[in-house]
Amino acid sequence: MMYKNIEKHKKISLKDEIDYQKGQVVSKTLVQNEAVSMTLFAFDQGEEISTHAAAGDAMVTVLEGVGRFTVGEDVFLLCEGETLIMPKDIPHAVYGEEAFKMQLIVSY
């Protein structure tokens, strides 16, 4: 089974598949295998994932709100509907400028 934690054969809105929690970063894994990982995240305002590097190219799409993404020395503010590719092995961090939700797809 490729997808988990999500209904199949039904129209959905990804941003409605995960909820905010005060003072936390919440995640929900939809796919995890040797080729790809797909995860939804909900960041409360001011919450972050500190600097790290991924073993594959990471594509984020903001589903709601505004997030700040630091990739190497570059900083990007992304709003709903905007997408950014964070290259493999380049340190990056994510911060909730306001409460926001995103979809993360990592390709290995």
Side-chain angles (χ1 to χ4, degrees):
M1 177 180 1
M2 173 79 74
Y3 289 92
K4 59 184 179 181
N5 301 320
I6 195 164
E7 289 188 65
K8 298 169 187 69
H9 201 77
K10 178 182 176 188
K11 179 179 167 180
I12 61 169
S13 173
L14 286 178
K15 70 181 180 181
D16 294 336
E17 293 296 314
I18 192 164
D19 295 316
Y20 297 108
Q21 290 188 23
K22 185 77 174 153
Q24 294 186 27
V25 176
V26 179
S27 65
K28 182 178 183 180
T29 301
L30 303 181
V31 176
Q32 184 72 51
N33 61 44
E34 65 282 343
V36 67
S37 169
M38 184 185 305
T39 308
L40 300 177
F41 287 89
F43 286 71
D44 193 17
Q45 182 176 14
E47 294 302 313
E48 66 183 321
I49 296 176
S50 60
T51 303
H52 64 286
D57 288 335
M59 181 174 77
V60 294
T61 300
V62 172
L63 305 172
E64 178 177 88
V66 178
R68 182 177 74 212
F69 298 81
T70 304
V71 183
E73 300 296 319
D74 299 315
V75 177
F76 303 88
L77 286 180
L78 272 68
C79 301
E80 182 177 332
E82 295 181 321
T83 298
L84 175 67
I85 306 289
M86 299 180 292
K88 173 183 177 180
D89 298 328
I90 303 296
H92 58 271
V94 184
Y95 178 80
E97 286 289 318
E98 59 184 53
F100 87 103
K101 296 178 183 181
M102 72 177 199
Q103 177 185 36
L104 169 68
I105 301 171
V106 181
S107 302
Y108 303 102

XYZ file of all heavy atoms in Angstrom:
842
model
N 0.845 -1.175 0.000
C 0.000 0.000 0.000
C 0.892 1.241 0.000
O 1.734 1.403 0.876
C -0.914 -0.021 1.223
C -1.747 1.198 1.318
S -2.896 1.330 2.720
C -2.684 -0.111 3.666
N 0.695 2.104 -0.968
C 1.510 3.313 -1.101
C 1.074 4.390 -0.107
O 1.876 4.908 0.644
C 1.417 3.849 -2.527
C 2.091 5.184 -2.741
S 3.868 5.156 -2.912
C 4.052 4.491 -4.534
N -0.201 4.735 -0.091
C -0.696 5.816 0.753
C -1.262 5.276 2.055
O -1.885 4.221 2.079
C -1.789 6.613 0.025
C -1.239 7.452 -1.095
C -1.179 6.966 -2.390
C -0.762 8.730 -0.855
C -0.662 7.726 -3.419
C -0.246 9.505 -1.876
C -0.191 8.998 -3.151
O 0.323 9.763 -4.159
N -1.040 6.040 3.143
C -1.601 5.685 4.441
C -2.110 6.957 5.109
O -1.792 8.073 4.677
C -0.554 5.000 5.311
C 0.688 5.838 5.578
C 1.716 5.053 6.358
C 2.961 5.894 6.590
N 3.976 5.162 7.319
N -2.929 6.806 6.121
C -3.439 7.930 6.913
C -4.271 8.925 6.113
O -4.362 10.099 6.493
C -2.283 8.686 7.590
C -1.477 7.808 8.499
O -2.034 6.985 9.214
N -0.165 7.967 8.471
N -4.851 8.464 5.009
C -5.660 9.356 4.178
C -6.701 8.521 3.436
O -6.422 7.392 3.037
C -4.756 10.152 3.202
C -5.505 11.329 2.596
C -4.137 9.258 2.150
C -4.583 12.354 1.953
N -7.908 9.073 3.286
C -8.961 8.343 2.585
C -8.673 8.286 1.092
O -8.167 9.238 0.504
C -10.319 9.003 2.816
C -10.825 8.827 4.234
C -12.242 9.314 4.381
O -13.148 8.710 3.759
O -12.435 10.303 5.103
N -9.015 7.161 0.496
C -8.825 6.977 -0.933
C -10.182 7.027 -1.631
O -11.217 6.824 -1.002
C -8.144 5.636 -1.200
C -6.757 5.550 -0.584
C -6.230 4.126 -0.623
C -4.935 3.982 0.121
N -5.049 4.128 1.560
N -10.135 7.294 -2.922
C -11.345 7.319 -3.750
C -12.359 8.326 -3.210
O -13.549 8.053 -3.118
C -11.950 5.907 -3.845
C -12.842 5.743 -5.036
N -12.355 5.568 -6.298
C -14.195 5.744 -5.147
C -13.356 5.458 -7.140
N -14.485 5.574 -6.469
N -11.822 9.493 -2.787
C -12.660 10.547 -2.232
C -11.974 11.889 -2.483
O -10.765 12.026 -2.324
C -12.832 10.340 -0.727
C -13.653 11.401 -0.057
C -13.743 11.167 1.440
C -14.494 12.308 2.088
N -14.450 12.236 3.534
N -12.739 12.873 -2.876
C -12.213 14.234 -3.058
C -11.888 14.816 -1.681
O -12.716 14.778 -0.766
C -13.264 15.087 -3.762
C -12.863 16.507 -3.984
C -13.988 17.240 -4.702
C -13.781 18.721 -4.667
N -14.857 19.437 -5.368
N -10.669 15.364 -1.543
C -10.248 15.931 -0.265
C -9.528 17.257 -0.493
O -9.127 17.574 -1.611
C -9.305 14.977 0.508
C -8.030 14.708 -0.300
C -10.003 13.686 0.883
C -6.943 14.009 0.472
N -9.337 17.990 0.571
C -8.499 19.185 0.591
C -7.350 18.870 1.542
O -7.582 18.610 2.728
C -9.297 20.382 1.085
O -8.442 21.496 1.263
N -6.114 18.875 1.046
C -4.978 18.485 1.877
C -4.872 19.327 3.144
O -4.537 18.803 4.209
C -3.673 18.559 1.086
C -3.454 17.453 0.063
C -2.144 17.690 -0.691
C -3.451 16.082 0.717
N -5.171 20.618 3.073
C -5.041 21.457 4.266
C -6.027 21.062 5.362
O -5.798 21.352 6.531
C -5.161 22.937 3.921
C -6.515 23.401 3.498
C -6.467 24.879 3.164
C -7.828 25.369 2.730
N -7.770 26.794 2.382
N -7.098 20.375 5.001
C -8.065 19.914 5.996
C -7.688 18.563 6.595
O -8.353 18.087 7.517
C -9.462 19.820 5.375
C -9.994 21.185 4.974
O -9.549 22.203 5.543
O -10.860 21.229 4.069
N -6.624 17.955 6.109
C -6.193 16.627 6.577
C -5.274 16.702 7.793
O -4.856 15.674 8.320
C -5.496 15.866 5.453
C -6.422 15.485 4.317
C -7.505 14.515 4.740
O -7.178 13.526 5.428
O -8.681 14.744 4.387
N -4.925 17.916 8.231
C -4.067 18.095 9.398
C -4.519 19.332 10.151
O -4.979 20.299 9.538
C -2.572 18.167 8.981
C -1.663 18.064 10.188
C -2.292 19.387 8.123
C -0.223 17.735 9.853
N -4.406 19.288 11.482
C -4.867 20.388 12.326
C -3.699 21.013 13.086
O -2.712 20.343 13.404
C -5.907 19.894 13.341
C -7.178 19.406 12.670
O -7.661 20.099 11.747
O -7.684 18.341 13.056
N -3.833 22.293 13.395
C -2.857 22.996 14.216
C -2.978 22.532 15.663
O -4.063 22.169 16.114
C -3.112 24.510 14.192
C -2.954 25.147 12.835
C -4.061 25.596 12.119
C -1.694 25.311 12.261
C -3.922 26.195 10.886
C -1.539 25.904 11.024
C -2.664 26.346 10.341
O -2.516 26.930 9.113
N -1.847 22.586 16.377
C -1.836 22.402 17.825
C -0.985 23.515 18.418
O 0.116 23.785 17.930
C -1.290 21.028 18.209
C -2.241 19.908 17.835
C -1.797 18.559 18.384
O -1.064 18.485 19.352
N -2.254 17.512 17.747
N -1.500 24.177 19.425
C -0.839 25.327 20.047
C 0.586 24.960 20.458
O 0.819 23.952 21.118
C -1.648 25.774 21.263
C -1.138 27.016 21.920
C -1.524 28.228 21.130
C -1.118 29.484 21.905
N -0.872 30.597 21.033
N 1.545 25.787 20.011
C 2.932 25.619 20.412
C 3.648 24.414 19.826
O 4.680 24.003 20.353
N 3.126 23.865 18.716
C 3.714 22.646 18.164
C 3.835 22.683 16.643
O 3.183 23.468 15.971
C 2.861 21.423 18.534
C 2.846 21.117 19.999
C 2.124 19.818 20.281
O 2.056 18.924 19.453
N 1.565 19.717 21.470
N 4.658 21.777 16.151
C 4.692 21.414 14.739
C 4.093 20.018 14.669
O 4.580 19.095 15.327
C 6.129 21.396 14.177
C 6.125 20.906 12.732
C 6.781 22.759 14.285
N 3.018 19.877 13.906
C 2.325 18.596 13.781
C 2.621 18.033 12.393
O 2.651 18.774 11.411
C 0.800 18.788 13.946
C 0.060 17.475 13.803
C 0.489 19.447 15.278
N 2.852 16.713 12.316
C 3.089 16.093 11.010
C 2.192 14.877 10.836
O 1.778 14.244 11.818
C 4.554 15.683 10.854
O 4.893 14.674 11.777
N 1.918 14.579 9.569
C 1.100 13.413 9.205
C 1.704 12.810 7.947
O 1.684 13.433 6.881
C -0.352 13.839 8.951
C -1.282 12.695 8.606
C -2.701 13.218 8.430
C -3.694 12.118 8.157
N -5.059 12.638 8.001
N 2.268 11.622 8.071
C 2.907 10.948 6.947
C 1.846 10.309 6.057
O 0.976 9.588 6.536
C 3.888 9.869 7.440
O 4.873 10.512 8.256
C 4.565 9.157 6.288
N 1.953 10.571 4.747
C 1.030 9.981 3.772
C 1.700 8.881 2.964
O 1.052 7.911 2.569
C 0.491 11.063 2.829
C -0.218 12.246 3.487
C -0.705 13.213 2.421
C -1.353 11.786 4.378
N 3.007 9.032 2.681
C 3.776 8.023 1.935
C 5.186 7.980 2.521
O 5.775 9.026 2.792
C 3.877 8.369 0.427
C 4.755 7.358 -0.309
C 2.515 8.463 -0.221
N 5.724 6.778 2.691
C 7.104 6.635 3.145
C 7.658 5.339 2.573
O 7.227 4.257 2.947
C 7.166 6.592 4.676
C 8.575 6.530 5.227
C 9.315 7.831 5.065
O 8.805 8.883 5.441
N 10.505 7.795 4.502
N 8.571 5.475 1.601
C 9.238 4.295 1.057
C 10.633 4.686 0.587
O 11.066 5.816 0.828
C 8.400 3.629 -0.054
C 8.146 4.533 -1.233
O 9.043 5.224 -1.718
N 6.901 4.557 -1.713
N 11.339 3.794 -0.071
C 12.730 4.061 -0.463
C 12.860 5.107 -1.569
O 13.940 5.663 -1.773
C 13.436 2.762 -0.895
C 12.871 2.109 -2.132
C 11.575 1.329 -1.917
O 11.235 0.997 -0.770
O 10.894 1.063 -2.930
N 11.784 5.429 -2.256
C 11.848 6.374 -3.376
C 11.292 7.752 -3.051
O 11.754 8.756 -3.587
C 11.105 5.807 -4.585
N 10.298 7.809 -2.149
C 9.616 9.077 -1.891
C 9.015 9.093 -0.485
O 8.636 8.050 0.051
C 8.517 9.345 -2.953
C 7.383 8.353 -2.843
C 8.001 10.766 -2.876
N 8.968 10.290 0.065
C 8.283 10.525 1.336
C 7.347 11.711 1.118
O 7.747 12.709 0.517
C 9.317 10.858 2.417
O 8.684 11.334 3.578
N 6.107 11.589 1.576
C 5.141 12.682 1.467
C 4.518 12.896 2.842
O 3.965 11.963 3.422
C 4.051 12.363 0.443
C 3.074 13.499 0.224
S 1.690 13.070 -0.875
C 2.542 12.487 -2.318
N 4.636 14.134 3.354
C 4.173 14.437 4.700
C 3.470 15.784 4.714
O 3.900 16.722 4.039
C 5.374 14.481 5.679
O 6.139 13.282 5.537
C 4.917 14.616 7.107
N 2.399 15.870 5.478
C 1.729 17.145 5.728
C 2.232 17.684 7.057
O 2.475 16.917 7.996
C 0.211 16.956 5.797
C -0.467 16.392 4.560
C -1.960 16.202 4.826
C -0.238 17.276 3.357
N 2.391 19.006 7.145
C 2.815 19.660 8.378
C 1.885 20.815 8.685
O 1.427 21.515 7.779
C 4.236 20.231 8.235
C 5.328 19.208 8.233
C 5.735 18.624 7.060
C 5.956 18.843 9.419
C 6.760 17.689 7.048
C 6.971 17.908 9.420
C 7.384 17.331 8.234
N 1.655 21.047 9.985
C 0.951 22.228 10.475
C 1.842 22.867 11.537
O 2.152 22.237 12.550
C -0.402 21.850 11.062
N 2.289 24.103 11.292
C 3.154 24.847 12.205
C 2.324 25.903 12.921
O 1.667 26.713 12.254
C 4.239 25.600 11.431
C 5.346 24.765 10.873
C 5.128 23.899 9.806
C 6.629 24.862 11.393
C 6.160 23.145 9.268
C 7.672 24.111 10.869
C 7.431 23.246 9.810
N 2.390 25.941 14.228
C 1.814 27.076 14.938
C 2.744 28.269 14.703
O 3.933 28.094 14.406
C 1.697 26.773 16.436
C 0.819 27.769 17.173
O 0.046 28.502 16.520
O 0.900 27.815 18.406
N 2.221 29.471 14.823
C 3.044 30.665 14.626
C 4.237 30.627 15.570
O 4.102 30.333 16.761
C 2.231 31.926 14.866
C 3.020 33.195 14.622
C 2.172 34.442 14.763
O 1.062 34.402 15.279
N 2.687 35.558 14.297
N 5.434 30.901 15.021
C 6.649 30.942 15.820
C 7.327 29.605 16.018
O 8.436 29.541 16.551
N 6.701 28.533 15.580
C 7.314 27.199 15.704
C 8.226 26.947 14.512
O 8.042 27.532 13.445
C 6.242 26.121 15.804
C 5.428 26.214 17.074
C 6.263 26.132 18.338
O 7.123 25.234 18.438
O 6.060 26.967 19.234
N 9.199 26.052 14.691
C 10.166 25.829 13.621
C 10.721 24.412 13.624
O 10.624 23.689 14.615
C 11.319 26.817 13.735
C 12.175 26.641 14.972
C 13.264 27.699 15.088
O 13.859 28.069 14.060
O 13.496 28.148 16.218
N 11.301 24.065 12.495
C 12.161 22.892 12.372
C 13.543 23.466 12.106
O 13.751 24.189 11.132
C 11.710 21.955 11.226
C 10.322 21.381 11.529
C 12.728 20.840 11.019
C 9.741 20.522 10.408
N 14.484 23.175 13.005
C 15.814 23.777 12.921
C 16.592 23.260 11.712
O 16.195 22.304 11.047
C 16.590 23.525 14.210
O 16.734 22.144 14.425
N 17.704 23.894 11.470
C 18.525 23.607 10.295
C 18.943 22.143 10.236
O 19.421 21.588 11.229
C 19.780 24.509 10.294
O 19.349 25.875 10.335
C 20.617 24.285 9.046
N 18.739 21.560 9.083
C 19.091 20.165 8.817
C 19.260 20.003 7.312
O 18.947 20.913 6.551
C 18.020 19.212 9.349
C 16.692 19.378 8.671
N 15.841 20.449 8.909
C 16.076 18.627 7.725
C 14.772 20.339 8.154
N 14.883 19.247 7.406
N 19.730 18.857 6.874
C 19.846 18.565 5.443
C 19.078 17.273 5.160
O 18.994 16.398 6.017
C 21.306 18.418 5.032
N 18.519 17.179 3.967
C 17.750 15.998 3.579
C 18.576 15.128 2.626
O 19.431 15.632 1.897
C 16.449 16.419 2.899
N 18.281 13.839 2.630
C 18.985 12.877 1.779
C 18.445 12.861 0.354
O 18.914 12.096 -0.482
C 18.886 11.487 2.385
N 17.447 13.699 0.081
C 16.879 13.808 -1.264
C 16.407 15.225 -1.505
O 16.403 16.056 -0.593
N 16.015 15.526 -2.736
C 15.443 16.832 -3.045
C 14.078 16.943 -2.361
O 13.267 16.020 -2.439
C 15.272 17.017 -4.552
C 16.596 17.203 -5.276
O 17.574 17.650 -4.642
O 16.646 16.909 -6.482
N 13.852 18.072 -1.689
C 12.620 18.282 -0.938
C 11.800 19.390 -1.582
O 12.291 20.500 -1.759
C 12.944 18.636 0.507
N 10.554 19.076 -1.935
C 9.653 20.068 -2.512
C 8.564 20.378 -1.494
O 7.880 19.472 -1.014
C 9.004 19.538 -3.796
C 8.078 20.558 -4.441
S 7.424 20.037 -6.051
C 6.160 18.894 -5.532
N 8.435 21.667 -1.140
C 7.383 22.087 -0.223
C 6.369 22.944 -0.972
O 6.739 23.751 -1.813
C 7.929 22.860 0.997
C 8.770 21.970 1.872
C 8.697 24.086 0.587
N 5.101 22.741 -0.647
C 4.024 23.583 -1.145
C 3.222 24.050 0.059
O 2.755 23.224 0.852
C 3.115 22.815 -2.126
O 3.897 22.368 -3.229
C 1.977 23.694 -2.629
N 3.092 25.362 0.205
C 2.317 25.914 1.314
C 0.836 25.774 0.976
O 0.379 26.172 -0.096
C 2.721 27.375 1.596
C 1.777 28.013 2.610
C 4.163 27.425 2.097
N 0.091 25.198 1.914
C -1.341 24.950 1.734
C -2.200 26.041 2.372
O -3.349 26.234 1.997
C -1.710 23.592 2.337
C -0.911 22.393 1.825
C -1.240 21.145 2.639
C -1.187 22.168 0.346
N -1.606 26.749 3.362
C -2.348 27.775 4.102
C -1.340 28.581 4.912
O -0.378 28.028 5.445
C -3.343 27.073 5.026
C -4.176 27.956 5.905
C -5.176 27.139 6.711
O -4.815 26.680 7.816
O -6.304 26.939 6.214
N -1.533 29.883 5.013
C -0.683 30.715 5.842
C 0.620 31.112 5.169
O 0.738 31.080 3.943
N 1.622 31.481 6.006
C 2.916 31.943 5.505
C 4.031 31.262 6.291
O 4.045 31.303 7.526
C 3.067 33.478 5.643
C 4.439 33.930 5.158
C 1.963 34.198 4.878
N 4.976 30.662 5.551
C 6.138 30.038 6.159
C 7.419 30.671 5.647
O 7.468 31.172 4.522
N 8.444 30.646 6.492
C 9.766 31.153 6.100
C 10.713 29.970 5.975
O 10.848 29.170 6.900
C 10.299 32.134 7.140
C 11.656 32.725 6.733
C 12.140 33.738 7.728
N 12.598 33.074 8.943
C 12.521 33.584 10.160
N 11.963 34.754 10.367
N 12.989 32.914 11.183
N 11.352 29.877 4.822
C 12.245 28.768 4.507
C 13.641 29.326 4.274
O 13.827 30.191 3.427
C 11.757 28.029 3.256
C 10.401 27.422 3.434
C 9.251 28.196 3.309
C 10.256 26.080 3.749
C 7.990 27.647 3.495
C 9.000 25.521 3.937
C 7.868 26.309 3.813
N 14.600 28.847 5.036
C 15.992 29.228 4.853
C 16.693 28.052 4.198
O 16.687 26.940 4.731
C 16.658 29.563 6.203
O 15.895 30.597 6.838
C 18.088 30.019 6.008
N 17.264 28.295 3.023
C 17.942 27.249 2.257
C 19.357 27.754 1.988
O 19.537 28.708 1.223
C 17.205 26.946 0.932
C 17.895 25.802 0.189
C 15.738 26.621 1.191
N 20.331 27.125 2.632
C 21.683 27.661 2.556
C 21.672 29.063 3.142
O 21.260 29.265 4.283
N 22.079 30.049 2.364
C 22.096 31.454 2.806
C 20.864 32.235 2.354
O 20.719 33.416 2.676
C 23.355 32.147 2.264
C 24.656 31.517 2.735
C 24.846 31.620 4.243
O 24.532 32.678 4.816
O 25.291 30.622 4.844
N 19.972 31.591 1.602
C 18.807 32.272 1.031
C 17.575 32.091 1.904
O 17.350 31.014 2.463
C 18.518 31.747 -0.372
C 19.676 31.986 -1.330
O 20.223 33.101 -1.327
O 20.038 31.047 -2.059
N 16.754 33.140 1.999
C 15.513 33.107 2.776
C 14.340 33.363 1.842
O 14.367 34.298 1.035
C 15.540 34.168 3.907
C 14.220 34.176 4.662
C 16.709 33.902 4.854
N 13.305 32.527 1.961
C 12.110 32.625 1.121
C 10.878 32.670 2.018
O 10.744 31.848 2.925
C 11.980 31.396 0.208
C 13.159 31.162 -0.678
C 14.239 30.396 -0.241
C 13.209 31.697 -1.953
C 15.334 30.161 -1.058
C 14.297 31.473 -2.782
C 15.365 30.702 -2.329
N 9.969 33.613 1.764
C 8.650 33.620 2.397
C 7.680 33.028 1.391
O 7.570 33.538 0.271
C 8.219 35.028 2.775
C 8.900 35.657 3.982
C 8.357 37.063 4.212
C 8.723 34.808 5.223
N 7.006 31.964 1.767
C 6.047 31.317 0.871
C 4.646 31.451 1.438
O 4.431 31.260 2.645
C 6.370 29.832 0.693
C 7.341 29.470 -0.426
C 8.732 29.972 -0.118
C 7.357 27.972 -0.657
N 3.694 31.757 0.553
C 2.281 31.875 0.892
C 1.516 30.721 0.250
O 2.061 29.980 -0.566
C 1.727 33.195 0.382
S 2.573 34.622 1.054
N 0.244 30.631 0.585
C -0.627 29.586 0.062
C -0.469 29.436 -1.447
O -0.507 30.422 -2.185
C -2.079 29.903 0.399
C -3.058 28.851 -0.074
C -4.478 29.148 0.344
O -4.677 29.813 1.377
O -5.391 28.704 -0.366
N -0.232 28.198 -1.886
C -0.133 27.891 -3.303
C 1.271 27.997 -3.866
O 1.516 27.599 -4.997
N 2.229 28.515 -3.082
C 3.596 28.658 -3.574
C 4.433 27.435 -3.209
O 4.218 26.803 -2.170
C 4.238 29.928 -3.025
C 3.534 31.171 -3.543
C 4.143 32.460 -3.045
O 4.547 32.538 -1.865
O 4.191 33.409 -3.860
N 5.402 27.129 -4.079
C 6.226 25.913 -3.961
C 7.700 26.276 -4.038
O 8.087 27.211 -4.753
C 5.866 24.932 -5.102
O 4.486 24.556 -4.957
C 6.718 23.681 -5.059
N 8.515 25.523 -3.315
C 9.963 25.712 -3.308
C 10.631 24.343 -3.308
O 10.180 23.436 -2.602
C 10.379 26.476 -2.041
C 11.870 26.678 -1.777
C 12.480 27.616 -2.826
C 12.089 27.222 -0.369
N 11.700 24.202 -4.091
C 12.513 22.985 -4.080
C 13.763 23.268 -3.252
O 14.493 24.225 -3.528
C 12.943 22.557 -5.502
C 11.745 22.424 -6.429
C 13.780 21.279 -5.442
C 10.849 21.259 -6.168
N 13.995 22.440 -2.254
C 15.194 22.539 -1.426
C 16.104 21.378 -1.825
O 15.766 20.222 -1.589
C 14.816 22.486 0.055
C 13.894 23.637 0.450
S 13.394 23.659 2.185
C 12.352 22.209 2.278
N 17.256 21.685 -2.445
C 18.110 20.629 -2.986
C 18.708 19.701 -1.923
O 18.982 20.120 -0.796
C 19.228 21.398 -3.697
C 18.684 22.770 -3.913
C 17.752 23.017 -2.769
N 18.902 18.481 -2.327
C 19.540 17.446 -1.506
C 20.841 17.984 -0.908
O 21.606 18.688 -1.582
C 19.827 16.229 -2.394
C 20.617 15.141 -1.740
C 20.893 14.033 -2.727
C 21.771 12.976 -2.065
N 22.076 11.880 -2.970
N 21.079 17.663 0.357
C 22.317 17.955 1.080
C 22.577 19.439 1.357
O 23.629 19.782 1.887
C 23.539 17.352 0.361
C 23.468 15.833 0.276
O 22.911 15.215 1.206
O 23.966 15.278 -0.712
N 21.646 20.335 1.001
C 21.794 21.757 1.325
C 21.044 22.009 2.643
O 19.849 21.726 2.733
C 21.223 22.666 0.209
C 21.892 22.379 -1.131
C 21.349 24.143 0.605
C 23.369 22.692 -1.187
N 21.718 22.523 3.661
C 21.039 22.778 4.940
C 19.853 23.732 4.760
O 19.951 24.721 4.031
C 22.134 23.416 5.801
C 23.419 22.953 5.194
C 23.146 22.865 3.719
N 18.763 23.409 5.435
C 17.576 24.251 5.369
C 16.823 24.209 6.698
O 17.020 23.300 7.503
C 16.662 23.831 4.200
C 16.214 22.416 4.268
N 16.936 21.379 3.706
C 15.123 21.841 4.832
C 16.312 20.241 3.915
N 15.208 20.493 4.601
N 15.987 25.215 6.918
C 15.168 25.319 8.120
C 13.809 25.884 7.730
O 13.669 26.535 6.688
C 15.847 26.220 9.149
N 12.804 25.623 8.586
C 11.438 26.076 8.317
C 10.893 26.753 9.572
O 11.056 26.238 10.687
C 10.524 24.888 7.932
C 9.131 25.371 7.567
C 11.133 24.072 6.801
N 10.233 27.912 9.394
C 9.724 28.701 10.516
C 8.318 29.219 10.193
O 8.061 29.675 9.074
C 10.667 29.889 10.763
C 10.227 30.811 11.854
C 10.449 30.510 13.190
C 9.574 32.004 11.542
C 10.043 31.365 14.196
C 9.154 32.874 12.546
C 9.403 32.537 13.869
O 8.987 33.391 14.864
N 7.438 29.161 11.163
C 6.072 29.663 10.990
C 5.981 31.152 11.205
O 5.864 31.617 12.343
N 6.057 31.939 10.128
C 5.855 33.388 10.229
C 4.474 33.674 10.814
O 4.292 34.633 11.546
C 5.969 34.050 8.855
C 7.371 34.157 8.338
C 8.215 35.176 9.097
O 7.720 36.271 9.414
O 9.382 34.859 9.379
N 3.536 32.849 10.442
C 2.208 32.788 11.046
C 1.861 31.311 11.029
O 2.622 30.508 10.499
C 1.196 33.632 10.260
C 1.021 33.225 8.821
C 0.071 34.148 8.054
O 0.268 35.373 8.063
O -0.876 33.613 7.432
N 0.756 30.944 11.636
C 0.366 29.540 11.565
C 0.253 29.166 10.082
O -0.328 29.923 9.298
C -0.956 29.318 12.284
N 0.857 28.047 9.707
C 0.776 27.640 8.306
C 0.844 26.134 8.164
O 1.297 25.428 9.059
C 1.841 28.349 7.463
C 3.194 27.684 7.406
C 3.570 26.970 6.266
C 4.084 27.785 8.443
C 4.825 26.361 6.193
C 5.339 27.202 8.382
C 5.708 26.475 7.255
N 0.337 25.676 7.010
C 0.340 24.250 6.675
C 1.097 24.066 5.366
O 1.033 24.928 4.476
C -1.085 23.721 6.513
C -1.892 23.778 7.803
C -3.310 23.282 7.595
C -4.126 23.404 8.876
N -5.514 22.897 8.679
N 1.772 22.930 5.263
C 2.523 22.654 4.032
C 2.510 21.168 3.740
O 2.299 20.339 4.630
C 3.964 23.154 4.133
C 4.844 22.357 5.054
S 6.546 22.984 5.012
C 7.418 21.562 5.668
N 2.741 20.866 2.473
C 2.972 19.501 2.023
C 4.447 19.403 1.669
O 4.989 20.272 0.986
C 2.134 19.174 0.792
C 2.394 17.780 0.245
C 1.646 17.523 -1.048
O 1.486 18.432 -1.870
N 1.201 16.314 -1.236
N 5.106 18.359 2.155
C 6.513 18.101 1.867
C 6.619 16.795 1.104
O 6.092 15.771 1.537
C 7.317 18.002 3.165
C 8.754 17.487 3.043
C 9.624 18.499 2.308
C 9.322 17.162 4.412
N 7.307 16.840 -0.039
C 7.589 15.630 -0.815
C 9.098 15.558 -0.983
O 9.709 16.480 -1.516
C 6.910 15.658 -2.198
C 5.397 15.789 -2.047
C 7.283 14.405 -3.000
C 4.659 16.037 -3.351
N 9.700 14.479 -0.485
C 11.132 14.258 -0.638
C 11.328 13.092 -1.594
O 10.790 12.009 -1.370
C 11.824 13.965 0.710
C 13.332 13.776 0.508
C 11.557 15.081 1.719
N 12.099 13.333 -2.652
C 12.412 12.306 -3.641
C 13.847 11.864 -3.431
O 14.763 12.696 -3.423
C 12.252 12.847 -5.064
O 10.936 13.307 -5.259
N 14.057 10.550 -3.274
C 15.400 10.014 -2.992
C 16.048 9.460 -4.234
O 15.436 9.029 -5.130
C 15.316 8.919 -1.923
C 14.687 9.401 -0.646
C 13.371 9.093 -0.347
C 15.403 10.198 0.242
C 12.778 9.539 0.837
C 14.816 10.650 1.417
C 13.508 10.307 1.702
O 12.921 10.775 2.861
